[in-house]
Amino acid sequence: MSTAVRTPSVSGLHAAQSMLLKGLHTGSPIVKGAPGSDIARMRVGRRTSFTIKHPDYVDHVLHGAADRYHKSIEYELLRAVLGLNLFTDEDDSWRRHRMLLNPTMSKRHVRGMVDLMIDPIAAYVDAFDDGSDRIEVEMASSMVGLTMDVVGTALFGHRFGEVGAKMTKVVTTGLRSAEVATRLLIVASPPVWGMRAFSRALHHAPYVPPPLNALQWVMRTVDEIVWDLIDDRRAHPTGSDDLLNLLLSTQDEDGRHLPLRRVRDEVTTFMLAGHETTANALAWMWYLLALNPDARDRMLREVDEVLDGRRPTVDDIPNLPWTTACFQEAMRFYPPAWIIPRTAIEDDEIDGHRIPKGATVIVPIHAIHHDPRFWPDPEVYDPSRFLPENARGRPRSHYLPFGGGRRICIGTSFALMETTLITAMMSQRFVYDLVPGHPVEPEATLTLRPRNGVKMVARRRVANTTREAA
Ligand code: HEM
């Protein structure tokens, strides 16, 4: 290793105060780091954290030296809700399960799911269209119901329907209580064993005080939904090659099936991780498109030219590059997973800066996506950045909505195909405008969500207009 250099530091007291009073947000000292430096160190309680803002440093942590990092202690809270699964697992056990699930989520296999995705989207648009020319809609929760249904149909052969509506409240409550718990955690900085005991207690204790009792309610509600799904499939087996059947039928070399508990944990993860981030990103995209009518008009023109009013097929997706780019640029602007924390499991060094074993390393995705060194005019919503000819050759850690390295989101292809279809199909009949005066602002929980939702009016499209003005 080379000689260690001095790392700029941020006051731990200031960071702790800000955390307790304002919570974690995109401007928190622990996220912003030190001005003018790509790495900053801070100590809060017993914990040392580093914020790294340069893509090369991110490359090191997520790719080159990935063996030296695990997910951070905050994931223990997720483990309490989701159990042990692809998201929360580590090392050999993670590797085995990732190898098992990769083929089902590969681009090739997901292409085969496109018709399954289209059915719930078409049903959503039909149910939404009450025949009037202007329909009010709160996009964030509406997208939760839709993306739940798409994941349910494509991966579990199950339409969530009513459950989708319930999930908006469950997930919002869960994320808000988790945010409060994370604030306390960062300041109290308990050891991992303390955190695990806390998570177990949260699951099983007969009484938990507010606000943590909300987390317990979330865990129990999610548990009920997922066990119903598994029990139903076991009682009524199907021959499909969906994710649920893969999890229920897979056997190791000794012929042993996955424990049912693990099946439950994976299903919970795919159900939650598979819809919440996607729904958020879509809500942000509709918001940004309404603010940028030129980008929106170009999307509408592309959809009309390519689809000519018919249902899409899998072969249409590559012919909708602007539509896909509108979604990708929305994820640059408001990345749903806006921060990625890791823990060093052995001593490391980043560009001469010493990272001791046990330290937390924070990758502030939102900040990197808005850094003018890597994104000219970062506050301008410009989908052309993601047209294939402009995106080619971009360094991988400039754009991280799906994370990076071996822990990159397994649902990347699924999400990109699903959202292109949703954007196109929802735009065939309607164009979406903002309700004036409704405040739209980001709320940073585990994901970056619109705090008060996004209230919009769907306006029926008029044939043959060149400009979709109100
Ligand atoms: C726009 C939509 C999505 C975004 C922005 C997103 C973002 C992410 C990010 C940033 C990670 C990495 C977290 C880390 O490294 O700590 C991740 C992991 C993961 N995502 Fe997604 N995701 C999306 C959609 C999906 C979908 C559709 C699914 C499943 C159907 C899914 C399932 C997962 C799983 C299981 C992991 C853990 C992978 C592993 O560690 O091996 N995600 N996602």
Side-chain angles (χ1 to χ4, degrees):
M1 279 195 185
S2 57
T3 321
V5 296
R6 205 185 141 271
T7 308
S9 61
V10 170
S11 151
L13 187 63
H14 175 49
Q17 257 174 357
S18 157
M19 187 69 65
L20 280 175
L21 297 176
K22 298 189 195 150
L24 195 59
H25 56 94
T26 50
S28 296
I30 206 165
V31 178
K32 265 174 66 185
S37 172
D38 281 326
I39 182 162
R41 176 182 177 282
M42 75 218 74
R43 190 162 174 91
V44 179
R46 72 176 77 215
R47 189 138 74 131
T48 303
S49 304
F50 292 82
T51 304
I52 51 170
K53 292 192 290 190
H54 198 286
D56 291 349
Y57 296 177
V58 176
D59 248 27
H60 175 88
V61 171
L62 297 184
H63 294 263
D67 278 345
R68 286 176 224 152
Y69 292 89
H70 273 175
K71 294 201 168 180
S72 73
I73 191 170
E74 285 74 30
Y75 285 81
E76 290 297 329
L77 265 183
L78 272 184
R79 205 186 268 217
V81 181
L82 305 176
L84 188 59
N85 55 68
L86 204 58
F87 211 96
T88 54
D89 208 351
E90 296 286 358
D91 302 324
D92 282 348
S93 170
W94 167 77
R95 215 164 275 120
R96 261 200 329 277
H97 290 91
R98 179 90 192 205
M99 297 280 279
L100 170 72
L101 297 169
N102 264 343
T104 301
M105 300 305 289
S106 68
K107 190 167 179 186
R108 201 176 60 81
H109 199 260
V110 172
R111 278 173 62 84
M113 296 180 199
V114 159
D115 285 338
L116 291 175
M117 293 180 182
I118 287 175
D119 284 340
I121 304 171
Y124 167 89
V125 176
D126 284 341
F128 178 81
D129 188 352
D130 64 5
S132 51
D133 287 342
R134 296 173 76 83
I135 305 170
E136 287 219 6
V137 53
E138 196 288 281
M139 270 302 181
S141 48
S142 196
M143 292 300 97
V144 167
L146 173 57
T147 52
M148 271 283 286
D149 245 2
V150 174
V151 166
T153 312
L155 299 182
F156 309 124
H158 182 91
R159 290 291 289 278
F160 280 111
E162 284 298 300
V163 172
K166 194 170 170 186
M167 279 317 277
T168 305
K169 182 157 183 263
V170 172
V171 172
T172 303
T173 310
L175 287 172
R176 285 194 176 145
S177 352
E179 192 274 327
V180 174
T182 307
R183 264 190 227 196
L184 299 174
L185 263 178
I186 291 179
V187 176
S189 52
V192 176
W193 62 262
M195 194 50 216
R196 293 209 167 138
F198 167 78
S199 300
R200 266 197 305 276
L202 206 55
H203 220 144
H204 302 294
Y207 172 76
V208 176
L212 297 176
N213 58 347
L215 261 185
Q216 194 180 52
W217 172 75
V218 170
M219 289 176 195
R220 291 183 176 165
T221 309
V222 169
D223 236 21
E224 217 174 276
I225 295 168
V226 172
W227 280 121
D228 278 355
L229 186 68
I230 296 172
D231 292 344
D232 184 55
R233 177 61 62 88
R234 293 179 77 215
H236 310 100
T238 68
S240 91
D241 63 349
D242 67 12
L243 185 76
L244 186 51
N245 273 354
L246 173 80
L247 290 166
L248 286 169
S249 66
T250 195
Q251 289 173 298
D252 65 17
E253 319 76 84
D254 303 321
R256 281 182 309 228
H257 286 280
L258 279 184
L260 267 186
R261 177 79 208 177
R262 179 84 194 203
V263 174
R264 174 266 175 205
D265 292 350
E266 295 295 1
V267 170
T268 308
T269 303
F270 275 78
M271 187 181 91
L272 293 179
H275 87 275
E276 210 275 334
T277 39
T278 317
N280 266 321
L282 281 166
W284 285 123
M285 180 197 70
W286 294 120
Y287 169 69
L288 289 163
L289 284 174
L291 292 178
N292 293 276
D294 288 342
R296 186 175 70 182
D297 282 350
R298 183 163 169 185
M299 182 272 287
L300 294 172
R301 272 199 307 278
E302 181 178 85
V303 168
D304 290 350
E305 274 163 30
V306 174
L307 300 182
D308 198 18
R310 63 174 170 77
R311 250 168 109 110
T313 68
V314 65
D315 296 326
D316 291 316
I317 293 176
N319 299 325
L320 295 164
W322 184 264
T323 308
T324 305
C326 288
F327 181 73
Q328 288 171 305
E329 170 70 344
M331 286 198 298
R332 181 192 67 80
F333 219 94
Y334 292 116
W338 62 285
I339 186 172
I340 291 185
R342 290 285 188 265
T343 295
I345 54 165
E346 52 184 273
D347 287 347
D348 190 21
E349 196 176 294
I350 303 178
D351 197 19
H353 299 273
R354 207 175 77 75
I355 311 291
K357 177 179 172 180
T360 302
V361 175
I362 293 170
V363 179
I365 298 179
H366 180 272
I368 294 172
H369 285 187
H370 287 261
D371 190 325
R373 290 176 295 171
F374 318 121
W375 297 97
D377 299 322
E379 304 313 318
V380 174
Y381 175 76
D382 176 9
S384 74
R385 303 180 205 263
F386 290 94
L387 289 177
E389 60 274 24
N390 298 334
R392 211 167 288 131
R394 179 174 291 137
R396 60 191 174 190
S397 294
H398 284 196
Y399 184 61
L400 301 147
F402 295 109
R406 61 190 184 196
R407 302 303 296 251
I408 196 167
C409 177
I410 197 170
T412 303
S413 299
F414 187 100
L416 288 177
M417 284 194 211
E418 169 192 18
T419 51
T420 301
L421 293 168
I422 289 177
T423 310
M425 291 173 75
M426 282 181 63
S427 299
Q428 284 179 301
R429 265 185 245 180
F430 294 98
V431 62
Y432 304 89
D433 297 318
L434 292 168
V435 169
H438 175 70
V440 179
E441 58 175 20
E443 175 183 12
T445 59
L446 183 68
T447 54
L448 197 62
R449 338 171 71 214
R451 186 186 301 280
N452 310 300
V454 182
K455 282 199 180 156
M456 303 194 90
V457 174
R459 180 164 43 86
R460 190 174 298 280
R461 293 185 59 199
V462 184
N464 298 328
T465 46
T466 48
R467 174 91 195 192
E468 299 283 343

